[in-house]
């Protein structure tokens, strides 16, 4: 007797085993989403007035515009009718029946599945765009990963948000695990980096669960790291090994048992570490292997971990959000033959964004991909710990020979110049002061100027507006070497949870600044929102259209009321849009007036 439940079990197991499953909502034959329930009223497959629901509905908390629906049947013979007009009896007919109704408000991937076993499983995929009159049949005939379904939706920002939220949830889990066993905050990301790097070694992946002692597990992990670094011919290999070797001095590796602070009981160290490695292997390592995702896994972990380590925030290290690293590629008009340089590369977020963009420009040219990996990405990082993250981050993407140096960019300038960079991206440390931040920019300009290159940097807003002698002198030198093409005032909470107000400066070294106008953009609203346990995300999918608007004005050097203005500036002037823009009163309405009046009355009441 045919059993549809067997097919449902295959679908359920497939999605629940996916690395991104924890970041989606998975419902069976129902939905708590009011909009979905409303659209499915009267959609019973039997033709009655009752509601109908597919077997499975997958929704995404990071963007409510997308969903996946699945309809199941036991027998392959009941997969699809000739005219697709029998939704009660056939999988394809049924899933398209629901997708048509849901497409009034959603972008829908519809999956029809039939068969009682993996060997006879039959799968069909359809994409029904929101508002479209009909569907698109897709060629895929087997179940895909959630990451592959994200690609079908063709919204990289949506996919980025989902991966980011996924990492946040996993970082929260690991933080709790690390905290339970007194693993220091500033050691946590090094441990994640070390484990992910060791998992690149197949013998370690296959043997770590069978290691008999915590000492042998630590030695096996270090051996795997050394083998991986050696095979990839990493610069400053000894510096990386030195950082990772420090882990073996932690109590978790030195002692046979450690106390769990919650239960107050001793737990075998071997058991704890095997659990952490296995968790990363199953839940994080696959994220690093997603082709061309351009996702800064270690950077995202680091951002979450420093929430628990306030001392690191005071050191001025803030990692650039991924939508900004991607925006930089547009600001410098990155082309296929550019050589990208980051003099303070942190976890290599800018280099990853540059690599991803260059891969996209190269298409399927694998030879060009190899050249990009081997010679078109150059970086320097002073802090040995951060250097290990940058190198391991790149290696997790198959880029073991990237030219990342461990040291001071001002001291390694000669070596960097041999690579002849044409573009520089940077987010200098903010604890060094305004003049010193601008000196990092000056260094980048010096490096790319022989190639008449471009520089984009995100710095504290005070670098553009403070009236300090040392700062003005650096700005004067910079303007003698390059044209200040643009300054963009960025959102105040861009680096949440770190509070810092920033601007992006763009320079063209093919000309000096004398007599030329600069373009100032007021980019305070990027559409991102702060969400609990999700960070700052593009929850409503606004950034794509906002970015298009920004770039249209920027590339055309266009003045737009409330958004941008052109102005000639010198070193002593303020480099920010706020100093030169006129208020766009055309956007004001009655509600704005009422809101301000209420704020004023509240202020008067509270102050008097």
């Amino acid at each position: 007797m045919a059993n549809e439940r067997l097919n449902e079990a295959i679908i359920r197991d497939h999605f629940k085993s996916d690395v991104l499953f924890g970041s989606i909502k998975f419902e069976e034959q129902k939905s708590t989403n009011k909009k979905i329930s409303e659209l499915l009223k009267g959609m019973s497959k039997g033709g009655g007035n009752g509601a109908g629901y597919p077997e499975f509905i997958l929704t995404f908390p990071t963007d409510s515009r997308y969903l996946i629906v699945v309809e199941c049947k036991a027998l392959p013979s009941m997969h699809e009718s000739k005219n697709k007009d029998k939704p009660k009896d056939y999988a394809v007919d049924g899933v398209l029946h629901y997708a048509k109704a849901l497409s009034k408000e959603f972008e829908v991937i519809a999956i029809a599945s039939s068969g009682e076993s993996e060997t006879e499983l039959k799968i069909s995929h359809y994409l029904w765009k929101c508002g479209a009159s009909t569907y698109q049949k897709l060629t895929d005939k087997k179940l895909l990963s959630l990451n592959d379904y994200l690609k079908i939706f063709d919204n990289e920002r949506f996919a980025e948000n989902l991966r980011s939220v996924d990492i946040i949830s996993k970082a929260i889990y690991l933080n709790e695990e690390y905290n339970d066993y007194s693993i220091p905050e500033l050691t946590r990301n090094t441990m994640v980096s070390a484990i992910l790097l060791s998992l690149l070694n197949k013998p370690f992946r296959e043997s770590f669960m069978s290691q008999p002692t915590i000492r042998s597990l630590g030695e096996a992990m270090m051996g795997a790291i050394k083998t991986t670094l050696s095979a990839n011919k990493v610069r400053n290999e000894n510096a990386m090994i030195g950082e990772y070797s420090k882990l073996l001095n932690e109590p978790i590796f030195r002692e046979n048992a450690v106390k769990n602070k919650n239960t107050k009981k001793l737990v075998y160290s071997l058991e704890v570490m095997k659990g952490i490695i296995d968790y990363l292997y199953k839940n994080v390592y696959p994220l690093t292997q997603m082709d061309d995702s351009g996702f800064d896994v270690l950077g995202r972990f680091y951002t979450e971990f420093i929430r628990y380590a306030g001392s690191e925030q005071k050191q001025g290290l803030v990692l650039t959000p991924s939508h900004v690293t991607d925006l930089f590629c547009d600001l410098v008009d990155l082309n296929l033959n550019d050589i990208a340089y980051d003099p303070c590369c942190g976890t290599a977020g800018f280099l990853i964004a540059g690599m991803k963009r260059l891969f996209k420009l190269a298409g399927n040219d694998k030879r060009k991909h190899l050249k990009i990996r081997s010679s078109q990405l150059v970086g320097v990082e002073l802090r040995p710990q951060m250097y290990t993250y940058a190198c391991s981050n790149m290696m997790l993407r198959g880029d073991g020979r990237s030219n990342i140096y461990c040291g001071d960019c001002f001291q390694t300038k000669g070596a960097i110049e041999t690579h002849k960079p044409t573009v520089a991206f940077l987010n200098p440390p903010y604890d060094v002061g305004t003049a010193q931040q601008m000196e990092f920019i000056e260094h980048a300009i010096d490096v790319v100027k022989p190639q008449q290159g471009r520089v984009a940097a995100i710095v504290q807003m005070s670098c553009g507006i403070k009236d300090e002698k040392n700062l003005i002198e650096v700005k004067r030198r910079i303007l003698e070497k390059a044209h200040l093409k643009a300054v963009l005032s960025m959102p105040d909470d861009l680096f949440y949870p770190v509070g810092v107000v920033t601007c992006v400066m763009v320079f063209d070294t093919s000309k000096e600044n004398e007599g030329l106008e600069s373009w100032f953009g007021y980019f305070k609203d990027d559409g991102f929102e702060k969400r609990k346990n999700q960070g700052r995300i593009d929850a409503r999918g606004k950034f794509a259209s906002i970015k298009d608007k920004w770039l249209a004005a920027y590339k055309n050097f266009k003045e737009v009321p409330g958004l941008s203005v052109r102005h000639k500036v010198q070193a002593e002037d303020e480099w920010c849009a706020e100093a030169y823009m006129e208020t766009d009163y055309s956007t004001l309405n009655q509600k704005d007036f009422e809101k301000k009046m209420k704020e004023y009355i509240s202020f008067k009441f509270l102050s008097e």
Side-chain angles (χ1 to χ4, degrees):
M1 185 175 180
N3 188 349
E4 190 174 300
R5 299 291 174 266
L6 295 175
N7 186 269
E8 292 174 10
I10 293 172
I11 298 295
R12 189 181 297 109
D13 291 345
H14 171 80
F15 284 111
K16 286 193 171 183
S17 64
D18 193 282
V19 66
L20 292 175
F21 181 78
S23 300
I24 69 168
K25 191 170 185 178
F26 187 82
E27 297 180 292
E28 302 187 30
Q29 296 181 335
K30 65 178 181 179
S31 177
T32 55
N33 185 305
K34 291 182 179 179
K35 190 182 292 185
I36 291 175
S37 296
E38 190 66 30
L39 290 170
L40 293 179
K41 279 184 179 178
M43 293 305 296
S44 169
K45 291 181 294 184
N49 294 323
Y53 288 94
E55 262 72 53
F56 301 102
I57 300 175
L58 285 66
T59 52
F60 305 89
T62 57
D63 198 320
S64 59
R65 297 171 299 167
Y66 301 93
L67 60 85
I68 297 173
V69 294
V70 188
E71 185 71 2
C72 302
K73 292 297 177 187
L75 301 176
S77 60
M78 305 305 291
H79 188 71
E80 178 181 2
S81 74
K82 182 178 180 181
N83 297 317
K84 300 184 181 65
D85 58 356
K86 298 179 180 179
K88 184 178 180 181
D89 301 320
Y90 293 87
V92 169
D93 306 36
V95 82
L96 292 177
H97 170 78
Y98 293 126
K100 181 178 181 179
L102 293 167
S103 68
K104 293 174 184 177
E105 297 283 347
F106 297 94
E107 302 276 331
V108 185
I109 290 177
I111 306 172
S113 174
S114 61
E116 296 177 303
S117 67
E118 294 279 0
T119 55
E120 67 173 9
L121 189 66
K122 195 170 184 179
I123 298 291
S124 295
H125 288 93
Y126 303 88
L127 174 64
W128 205 314
K129 305 282 286 183
C130 184
S133 59
T134 190
Y135 55 83
Q136 303 170 33
K137 191 175 191 309
L138 307 177
T139 57
D140 303 286
K141 295 183 179 180
K142 64 178 183 178
L143 291 170
L144 307 177
S145 68
L146 282 170
N147 187 59
D148 287 330
Y149 287 122
L150 296 182
K151 291 178 184 177
I152 293 172
F153 284 128
D154 194 27
N155 184 335
E156 181 55 36
R157 180 53 44 202
F158 162 52
E160 184 85 12
N161 281 340
L162 189 71
R163 297 185 195 112
S164 184
V165 169
D166 184 72
I167 284 292
I168 290 173
S169 67
K170 288 166 182 174
I172 290 171
Y173 170 81
L174 284 172
N175 255 317
E176 291 172 352
E177 285 288 296
Y178 286 147
N179 192 57
D180 286 348
Y181 297 103
S182 302
I183 297 172
E185 287 93 339
L186 299 182
T187 300
R188 296 174 186 183
N189 213 53
T190 303
M191 187 172 288
V192 170
S193 171
I195 292 170
L196 292 176
L197 204 57
S198 62
L199 288 170
L200 289 176
N201 180 260
K202 186 178 179 181
F204 180 79
R205 290 200 302 271
E206 295 175 345
S207 67
F208 74 86
M209 288 300 287
S210 62
Q211 290 297 329
T213 67
I214 188 62
R215 182 173 179 176
S216 68
L217 178 62
E219 290 174 350
M221 188 171 77
M222 285 306 304
I225 290 172
K226 290 176 182 178
T227 299
T228 300
L229 295 180
S230 179
N232 285 284
K233 301 177 181 178
V234 177
R235 295 179 186 273
N236 301 88
E237 180 180 330
N238 290 336
M240 292 186 70
I241 292 173
E243 283 300 312
Y244 290 133
S245 295
K246 294 176 184 177
L247 292 173
L248 301 184
N249 294 323
E250 294 293 328
I252 193 76
F253 280 106
R254 284 190 294 105
E255 300 172 10
N256 288 329
V258 288
K259 181 179 286 188
N260 184 303
K261 292 197 297 188
N262 276 339
T263 65
K264 310 299 182 184
K265 294 180 179 179
L266 286 174
V267 182
Y268 285 117
S269 299
L270 181 64
E271 178 185 329
V272 174
M273 279 309 304
K274 281 185 178 180
I276 291 173
I277 295 171
D278 191 54
Y279 180 82
L280 286 167
Y281 179 38
K282 291 175 180 175
N283 296 283
V284 179
Y285 177 74
L287 286 171
T288 69
Q289 305 302 299
M290 290 178 180
D291 55 318
D292 298 342
S293 72
F295 187 66
D296 181 3
V297 172
L298 287 175
R300 202 66 188 89
F301 263 112
Y302 189 84
T303 300
E304 291 310 305
F305 286 161
I306 63 172
R307 289 175 186 264
Y308 299 82
S311 60
E312 192 71 9
Q313 294 182 17
K314 294 174 185 176
Q315 293 176 24
L317 198 156
V318 286
L319 302 181
T320 314
S322 59
H323 70 295
V324 176
T325 60
D326 185 57
L327 176 65
F328 270 42
C329 297
D330 295 300
L331 295 176
V332 301
D333 194 20
L334 193 70
N335 68 64
L336 185 57
N337 295 313
D338 272 323
I339 297 171
Y341 169 53
D342 185 346
C344 31
C345 66
T347 61
F350 278 122
L351 295 182
I352 290 170
M355 180 170 68
K356 177 185 172 185
R357 180 64 63 90
L358 291 172
F359 282 174
K360 185 175 182 179
L361 293 171
N364 295 320
D365 186 346
K366 297 303 179 184
R367 185 173 296 180
K368 184 61 177 175
H369 282 215
L370 181 61
K371 184 178 180 183
I372 291 167
R373 294 181 192 276
S374 63
S375 61
Q376 289 182 238
L377 304 164
V378 184
V380 178
E381 176 51 46
L382 176 63
R383 309 177 196 205
Q385 189 179 50
M386 297 303 295
Y387 172 76
T388 63
Y389 303 156
C391 289
S392 55
N393 232 350
M394 298 298 279
M395 274 186 285
L396 290 169
R397 284 158 186 80
D399 178 37
R401 294 185 298 277
S402 58
N403 298 295
I404 303 178
Y405 295 76
C406 184
D408 184 335
C409 66
F410 297 98
Q411 300 299 320
T412 57
K413 181 180 173 185
I416 297 301
E417 287 174 332
T418 63
H419 296 280
K420 297 184 177 180
T422 58
V423 164
F425 299 140
L426 64 152
N427 176 4
Y430 293 168
D431 61 338
V432 298
T434 55
Q436 288 80 1
Q437 287 177 57
M438 296 304 290
E439 285 177 351
F440 275 95
I441 293 178
E442 183 182 20
H443 160 79
I445 288 172
D446 289 340
V447 169
V448 304
K449 189 170 178 60
Q451 291 75 244
Q452 297 189 334
R454 297 90 70 206
V455 174
I458 185 163
V459 294
Q460 286 178 294
M461 178 61 80
S462 52
C463 293
I465 62 177
K466 270 195 173 182
D467 183 18
E468 296 177 344
K469 183 179 178 180
N470 291 345
L471 172 63
I472 292 172
E473 180 55 35
V474 181
K475 289 166 71 176
R476 182 176 290 111
R477 294 199 305 265
I478 286 174
L479 294 184
E480 290 173 354
K481 301 174 182 180
H483 171 216
L484 175 62
K485 183 177 180 180
V487 180
L488 321 175
S489 299
M490 301 305 286
D492 293 345
D493 58 355
L494 183 68
F495 286 97
Y496 172 81
V498 179
V500 58
V501 180
T502 58
C503 63
V504 172
M505 298 182 180
V506 185
F507 298 88
D508 178 0
T509 70
S510 67
K511 59 192 79 169
E512 296 178 7
N513 197 70
E514 183 66 30
L516 298 178
E517 287 186 320
S518 299
W519 187 88
F520 295 90
Y522 190 71
F523 288 9
K524 286 293 183 178
D525 181 12
D526 59 2
F528 278 59
E529 302 172 9
K530 289 177 284 190
R531 295 288 181 89
K532 185 178 180 180
N533 291 334
Q534 296 184 22
R536 192 171 181 273
I537 63 171
D538 184 18
R540 303 177 194 275
K542 293 181 178 180
F543 183 65
S545 60
I546 290 174
K547 178 182 174 182
D548 288 344
K549 181 181 177 181
W550 286 357
L551 291 176
Y554 166 78
K555 291 181 178 180
N556 291 296
F557 232 56
K558 189 176 179 181
E559 291 187 307
V560 178
L563 178 68
S564 58
V565 64
R566 294 195 305 269
H567 199 80
K568 289 182 182 179
V569 293
Q570 297 178 339
E572 297 83 3
D573 298 320
E574 292 188 347
W575 292 5
C576 67
E578 293 88 325
Y580 310 109
M581 280 176 54
E582 295 182 5
T583 302
D584 181 15
Y585 294 106
S586 66
T587 63
L588 299 179
N589 55 40
Q590 181 70 20
K591 288 184 178 179
D592 295 318
F593 174 74
E594 292 174 0
K595 180 173 180 285
K596 283 300 175 186
M597 288 301 296
K598 289 175 182 177
E599 289 174 353
Y600 177 68
I601 292 169
S602 298
F603 166 75
K604 295 287 285 183
F605 177 77
L606 292 171
S607 61
E608 297 180 7

